Amino acid sequence: MTIQEKRWMDMDNLRALCIRHGWFTRGDCKAYDKFLNMPYDAKGTQRNITTKLLYSMARTIMQYSDPETYDIIEVAGIMYSLGQICNTTFYVSEV
């Protein structure tokens, strides 16, 4: 038996999370748009949200946010917050 986990994220939920935490206030529109599209591939399809992608997104948030909005929770806390807004499903296949 093989079990796969797939996670994806909605752009609106990502935007709401940033607003709620006061993140990404130092980025311009181009950087913010690029960030909001990180959960999507080049075709605009939602892609699987991996730990590596969560880390990259968290580092981007830290780059474009005031440090006082994340200094207590640091990168792991930002990743946790991002993970909370992900939708998760599991696929089981009998091999």
Side-chain angles (χ1 to χ4, degrees):
M1 172 172 44
T2 303
I3 301 174
Q4 287 186 319
E5 176 184 8
K6 299 287 183 178
R7 288 186 289 187
W8 66 96
M9 183 184 297
D10 181 75
M11 183 186 298
D12 292 330
N13 292 339
L14 180 56
R15 181 182 294 113
L17 181 71
C18 288
I19 292 168
R20 185 169 49 250
H21 288 281
W23 292 337
F24 225 96
T25 56
R26 292 184 172 190
D28 60 16
C29 291
K30 184 177 178 180
Y32 192 52
D33 187 55
K34 184 177 178 181
F35 169 72
L36 290 176
N37 281 291
M38 287 179 83
Y40 299 88
D41 64 17
K43 296 177 184 176
T45 305
Q46 291 175 328
R47 64 186 200 179
N48 188 37
I49 305 296
T50 62
T51 303
K52 183 177 179 179
L53 180 57
L54 287 176
Y55 178 75
S56 178
M57 293 175 76
R59 295 296 301 170
T60 303
I61 287 170
M62 292 172 80
Q63 178 183 356
Y64 291 104
S65 300
D66 292 319
E68 57 268 7
T69 64
Y70 63 79
D71 61 353
I72 293 173
I73 62 172
E74 298 181 348
V75 71
I78 297 171
M79 290 175 67
Y80 180 80
S81 296
L82 290 167
Q84 284 187 308
I85 65 168
C86 287
N87 299 295
T88 305
T89 190
F90 296 91
Y91 298 96
V92 179
S93 60
E94 301 294 331
V95 182

